[in-house]
Amino acid sequence: MKFTVADLLDQVPADGSLDPAKLEKILRLSNRTEKQSLGLALQALSRLGILSTDDSGAVQRCITDDLVEARLRCSSKGFCFAIRDDGGDDIYIRDHQLNHAWNGDRVLVRITREGGRRRSPEGGVQCILERATTSLLAVVEQQEDKLVAIPLDDRILATIELASEDAGHADTPANEAVAEVILDRYPVAQFSAQGHVSRSLPLNGGPEADRDLMLTKANFHQRPTPPRASLKAPAAKKRVDCTDQPALLLTGWSATDAVSLPALHVIPHEGGTRLWIHAPAVAERLAPGNSLDQWLLNQSESICLGQHWLPLLSPALTKASAFRVDEVQDAVTLRLDLSADGEWKDWDFSLTRIRPVAEITQTHLEALAGRKPKSRAIPAALKAIKEQISQLETLIFSAKSAHESERSAGLIELDLPRPQLDMLGDLNPLAPDGDAANWAEPLNPSSPESVMAVLLRTAHRVWHAQSEDLKLPSVLLGAPPADDSALMDVAKAAIALDVPLELDEDGTPSADELAKAVAGCQSSRVLNLQLRHALPDSLYRLNEAAATAGNPQPDADNTTDPDSETTTSDDVDEQTSRAESPGSVGAQSLAPWCCPTLHYADLLNQQVLCQLLNEGKDRPSVRHKTKVGIGSRGAGDQITWPLFTASQDQKLSELFRERIIQRLNTRRRQVSELRKDVVAMAQARSAEPMVNQEQTGVISGVQSYGFFVEIPPSMVEGLVHVSSLNDDWYEYRSRQNRLVGRRSRRVYQLGDEVKVKVLKVDVLRNQIDLEVVPAEESDEQAAPLPVAVSDS
């Protein structure tokens, strides 16, 4: 079909009805077949009790409270849960209640059994709203009289029937190539899914073939061509000329097609610094809702594949908005005054025109860090930018002060160095926006990306404060607090490794307390890995102003409580976020706007910012001579009139819909999984030469079925299965993260160094099998342990 059930339901108002003819027009259904498909869909949804029709034929929603929208998450063992959009408990779905839904599908679930203290609620899939899988990688096999495709993703609990024309692919060994299978029909009733082989993909075709494999696995290999659309010229009337300002471009990316990033300028100011952050003016060049904007929404994210990029923006938009040295370009700018301890003293948003003067790379920052204090000699690497050395020193001072302010406000900081592999290219360094994670890496003054990540996080928090002050809609990025039981497991692991840790009255330390406690200890990396797994992922959500989609109407006294708490929901459990008060650094939510070349969410927030600066009313009427700086700190205290006209406000409300946030979060997850797969494949490739070799690694995780070992320097992780430990019977001690031999009392514990042999490397499934190298006779006598009862 040309539309999904989710598209259809998104157009039917929650209150009221919609004529089918109007629905056909909205969904752009032109021919008879498409309209018949809509009629069948409406009929099926009516039978399911999701829609109903009145006497005039108009359709309306009739979704009851026991139907919830969710995303399906399955495991290879057949366990499936529906992750709710309303933030409630995950719903357990038994296999006979899946109704042919697959992992990742968006579904409507009917709750059949309420949950208890230790039991998840149960339910069944009533309707598949949107399929997540349109093609997949598979192995083709002949099973009796059927030719089938077995998905490589073992979370898809189905097989796909193929036509006899694809029989030739069954002769290809599974270790040489896999097939890309296009779904022609999803399973329905007693009929299996059907598909056809699109092409064969080699498993050992080199880096280019590996990228193609990963893109195909993520369904990103067929990128649609951007539509032809005229770009708008940024408004010139209200722009501030900053072309005489020596702005700098910081970059550590090396790929020729890497995306453009913000420019920075800083000067000392009143004991602290005055910082300008110039973001590319992308939003001003777009007409919201047009074909190009819809194309960008569908892309949602720029994708880094290491040595190659799939940019978010179209080539024309990239060329029009990119910053280049000595070229005048339009920008959206934040001027921020920071005190010496990193507190926000004042700020102002504006539209500007800039001319960057130099590009700063990691080589420059490393030379600056290695320069002796008070030395008059200029290192050779800095001579080309000698006029900017003082500004670079001030910029690093700003980053350090802002970073210390973040840490004191509860920023979760994990020291997890990335694997440094040549084939990872631009994935080796930290992303300049910090990958928008719910934790941060320690500040590295020699890394352009690390310096930028601190300053951009600060800029995003400032826009959050400004949009809250003016009651403007925005897309927020944040994560809910980590589950107490998950944090307690990390705390127990730390205590077992002799990390001094003090627990509060409730016995549960916070995530940032744990991060600070384990920092610098001998087992910090493995404990940081455990803590990272305990932290929920960051997701997008709408703030209150966006949820109500109304024109900002300040109260008479126009007071705003900066510490007010708002509870919202997303694809996570009980997400709670606090709006940061102006002048402080919060650790929960950001309103990203500086990187519209990387994320569509930044572009959405920049749309609001540009509309504010271009069309916002800075005085009650033209008769009033005094204007309010609507981009400045404290503007909300002075404004007692609507910022926008009704039509302008309507434009804003159309930008922010829950359905758009769902799409952004879905694509964000997909891109995150793709990035992990690309890194994992590069690590697996680096491990292939290790097969049958002995390596020394560190135990990075312990489970009842074995333990994981991380091998430097690629940080590749493999599994030692408990069945290979045939010298004894090993008990799993979950509290201490260890396996203990019953007879020998030999211990394999989190953080221990161990010598292993690499048995097998499966680069496509990212699986590496290891076995422990037998210790010398003198080492086999492990120190006896106190007898303890297994709590596995």
Side-chain angles (χ1 to χ4, degrees):
M1 290 191 300
K2 188 177 180 179
F3 59 92
T4 66
V5 176
D7 294 332
L8 192 159
L9 293 179
D10 193 40
Q11 303 304 326
V12 180
D15 298 318
S17 57
L18 183 66
D19 185 76
K22 187 174 182 180
L23 188 56
E24 292 173 357
K25 186 176 181 180
I26 294 174
L27 296 176
R28 299 179 182 178
L29 307 181
S30 54
N31 60 50
R32 182 178 177 181
T33 303
E34 293 173 347
K35 294 179 180 180
Q36 286 178 340
S37 297
L38 176 62
L40 290 173
L42 293 175
Q43 184 179 4
L45 292 173
S46 296
R47 290 183 177 181
L48 290 172
I50 296 171
L51 293 179
S52 64
T53 57
D54 57 23
D55 295 337
S56 64
V59 297
Q60 56 190 10
R61 287 174 177 258
C62 52
I63 299 177
T64 56
D65 292 339
D66 62 342
L67 279 177
V68 296
E69 188 170 340
R71 175 177 55 88
L72 202 62
R73 184 174 64 197
C74 299
S75 75
S76 59
K77 301 183 185 303
F79 300 108
C80 293
F81 286 87
I83 313 302
R84 297 172 59 154
D85 287 327
D86 60 6
D89 293 334
D90 297 348
I91 305 167
Y92 177 59
I93 311 292
R94 297 182 183 273
D95 54 358
H96 67 278
Q97 295 280 10
L98 284 173
N99 288 331
H100 297 307
W102 289 354
N103 179 64
D105 290 348
R106 296 202 67 81
V107 294
L108 272 181
V109 176
R110 187 181 300 278
I111 299 177
T112 58
R113 182 178 178 180
E114 295 295 334
R117 288 188 61 187
R118 296 189 178 183
R119 186 185 70 240
S120 297
E122 295 185 20
V125 174
Q126 296 298 298
C127 177
I128 299 173
L129 300 176
E130 190 171 28
R131 288 285 188 177
T133 304
T134 57
S135 68
L136 47 80
L137 295 178
V139 175
V140 178
E141 295 182 0
Q142 185 73 45
Q143 295 182 351
E144 297 179 352
D145 59 340
K146 290 183 179 180
L147 185 69
V148 298
I150 310 298
L152 290 180
D153 187 347
D154 52 13
R155 297 171 299 176
I156 297 179
L157 311 175
T159 58
I160 297 93
E161 291 186 1
L162 302 176
S164 58
E165 290 81 3
D166 294 326
H169 295 279
D171 299 329
T172 304
N175 61 347
E176 293 183 5
V178 293
E180 179 193 358
V181 176
I182 307 297
L183 273 298
D184 299 322
R185 186 191 71 190
Y186 293 98
V188 57
Q190 72 272 28
F191 300 104
S192 301
Q194 290 183 348
H196 67 276
V197 175
S198 172
R199 57 179 176 152
S200 180
L201 297 168
L203 295 183
N204 297 293
E208 194 71 30
D210 285 351
R211 283 199 296 269
D212 194 17
L213 275 169
M214 293 297 96
L215 288 173
T216 305
K217 179 181 178 182
N219 285 324
F220 287 160
H221 58 298
Q222 294 180 335
R223 183 179 174 90
T225 303
R228 292 184 178 181
S230 299
L231 301 181
K232 295 168 57 179
K237 183 178 180 181
K238 298 184 178 181
R239 299 206 100 79
V240 179
D241 188 358
C242 295
T243 54
D244 59 344
Q245 184 187 89
L248 303 176
L249 298 176
L250 273 67
T251 180
W253 288 335
S254 58
T256 56
D257 53 359
V259 302
S260 180
L261 294 169
L264 304 173
H265 175 64
V266 65
I267 59 173
H269 181 73
E270 296 181 354
T273 57
R274 172 164 286 183
L275 173 70
W276 284 264
I277 298 177
H278 304 290
V282 178
E284 288 186 280
R285 293 179 163 86
L286 287 175
N290 71 356
S291 58
L292 179 57
D293 184 44
Q294 288 299 310
W295 182 84
L296 292 171
L297 172 59
N298 291 333
Q299 307 307 311
S300 295
E301 301 277 338
S302 285
I303 302 174
C304 178
L305 299 171
Q307 298 174 344
H308 177 63
W309 282 77
L310 296 180
L312 166 64
L313 305 185
S314 66
L317 195 52
T318 298
K319 182 179 180 180
S321 60
F323 291 158
R324 301 176 187 86
V325 173
D326 290 330
E327 291 187 13
V328 176
Q329 187 56 277
D330 295 308
V332 183
T333 297
L334 166 65
R335 189 268 297 159
L336 176 63
D337 291 351
L338 293 171
S339 66
D341 56 3
E343 294 293 313
W344 315 341
K345 296 169 60 179
D346 194 17
W347 67 73
D348 181 55
F349 290 92
S350 61
L351 303 173
T352 60
R353 184 171 288 110
I354 68 169
R355 181 192 283 116
V357 298
E359 185 175 282
I360 306 301
T361 66
Q362 183 161 337
T363 301
H364 295 131
L365 294 185
E366 288 175 347
L368 185 64
R371 188 185 184 195
K372 295 181 180 179
K374 300 181 180 180
S375 172
R376 294 185 178 182
I378 299 177
L382 295 177
K383 287 185 178 180
I385 59 163
K386 62 180 181 180
E387 296 181 358
Q388 309 306 327
I389 291 177
S390 177
Q391 184 182 178
L392 277 181
E393 292 173 338
T394 307
L395 188 66
I396 292 171
F397 171 80
S398 294
K400 288 180 177 178
S401 60
H403 181 241
E404 285 304 314
S405 183
E406 284 184 312
R407 284 170 52 86
S408 63
L411 178 73
I412 303 170
E413 188 173 272
L414 305 179
D415 188 7
L416 290 171
R418 297 166 179 241
Q420 298 298 305
L421 298 171
D422 292 340
M423 64 186 75
L424 287 180
D426 287 348
L427 283 173
N428 280 319
L430 173 75
D433 65 342
D435 286 333
N438 57 344
W439 55 274
E441 295 183 7
L443 173 63
N444 178 7
S446 298
S447 166
E449 294 82 7
S450 183
V451 172
M452 284 195 69
V454 174
L455 300 178
L456 294 189
R457 284 197 302 266
T458 303
H460 295 162
R461 292 190 180 96
V462 173
W463 174 241
H464 185 191
Q466 184 74 2
S467 60
E468 290 283 318
D469 185 36
L470 296 176
K471 300 182 181 178
L472 293 172
S474 62
V475 177
L476 301 182
L477 178 66
D483 183 73
D484 285 348
S485 61
L487 293 179
M488 182 55 71
D489 288 341
V490 179
K492 292 175 181 176
I495 292 173
L497 294 175
D498 299 324
V499 175
L501 183 63
E502 295 182 3
L503 302 181
D504 58 22
E505 295 179 357
D506 298 328
T508 304
S510 64
D512 65 297
E513 289 172 341
L514 275 173
K516 291 175 182 177
V518 305
C521 73
Q522 186 176 1
S523 303
S524 62
R525 177 169 177 82
V526 293
L527 290 173
N528 279 330
L529 285 171
Q530 301 293 312
L531 183 53
R532 184 186 67 182
H533 294 320
L535 297 175
D537 293 332
S538 294
L539 292 171
Y540 293 118
R541 66 178 179 87
L542 296 176
N543 70 349
E544 283 189 340
T548 56
N551 190 47
Q553 296 283 350
D555 300 331
D557 59 357
N558 199 33
T559 57
T560 302
D561 180 9
D563 293 319
S564 61
E565 299 210 351
T566 58
T567 303
T568 64
S569 61
D570 216 305
D571 291 357
V572 291
D573 297 333
E574 300 179 2
Q575 176 165 326
T576 303
S577 180
R578 179 179 62 82
E580 292 83 16
S581 58
S584 70
V585 180
Q588 291 298 322
S589 294
L590 310 173
W593 64 275
C594 293
C595 299
T597 57
L598 283 172
H599 313 288
Y600 187 83
D602 291 59
L603 183 54
L604 270 180
N605 284 332
Q606 197 181 95
Q607 289 277 12
V608 181
L609 177 52
C610 290
Q611 181 166 323
L612 171 70
L613 298 175
N614 276 316
E615 302 175 359
K617 294 178 64 176
D618 55 7
R619 48 185 169 169
S621 67
V622 294
R623 295 190 299 271
H624 288 75
K625 302 300 182 183
T626 304
K627 298 181 180 180
V628 173
I630 55 178
S632 302
R633 178 180 181 176
D637 294 333
Q638 305 175 55
I639 297 175
T640 57
W641 56 88
L643 281 170
F644 304 113
T645 64
S647 61
Q648 291 169 345
D649 181 60
Q650 181 63 27
K651 291 180 181 178
L652 273 186
S653 66
E654 292 173 353
L655 292 176
F656 297 88
R657 299 197 304 271
E658 196 64 44
R659 175 77 174 137
I660 290 178
I661 300 303
Q662 291 174 0
R663 294 174 69 175
L664 293 181
N665 279 326
T666 297
R667 183 52 65 98
R668 177 178 168 80
R669 279 189 294 267
Q670 292 171 339
V671 172
S672 177
E673 289 179 4
L674 172 60
R675 185 188 301 117
K676 292 176 183 177
D677 283 345
V678 171
V679 173
M681 174 165 271
Q683 291 175 305
R685 289 296 188 196
S686 72
E688 283 182 315
M690 302 179 188
V691 173
N692 294 323
Q693 292 183 4
E694 295 181 3
Q695 301 289 333
T696 300
V698 175
I699 297 178
S700 56
V702 183
Q703 298 293 334
S704 59
Y705 52 83
F707 56 87
F708 294 91
V709 177
E710 189 179 68
I711 302 173
S714 66
M715 307 302 180
V716 64
E717 197 174 52
L719 173 66
V720 176
H721 198 273
V722 69
S723 61
S724 69
L725 302 174
N726 50 21
D727 62 326
D728 203 346
W729 179 272
Y730 284 85
E731 294 179 345
Y732 174 48
R733 308 280 178 85
S734 61
R735 292 177 182 271
Q736 294 86 23
N737 275 277
R738 59 174 60 158
L739 290 174
V740 180
R742 284 185 178 181
R743 176 183 56 82
S744 66
R745 316 303 294 165
R746 189 175 185 85
V747 175
Y748 294 104
Q749 178 171 303
L750 184 73
D752 284 353
E753 190 175 274
V754 62
K755 184 172 286 188
V756 294
K757 182 179 180 181
V758 181
L759 299 179
K760 180 182 176 183
V761 176
D762 187 332
V763 295
L764 198 55
R765 291 183 175 86
N766 302 324
Q767 294 176 355
I768 299 173
D769 297 335
L770 309 173
E771 71 174 4
V772 174
V773 176
E776 297 296 333
E777 187 68 26
S778 58
D779 296 333
E780 289 183 353
Q781 303 300 322
L785 290 173
V787 177
V789 179
S790 172
D791 57 0
S792 58

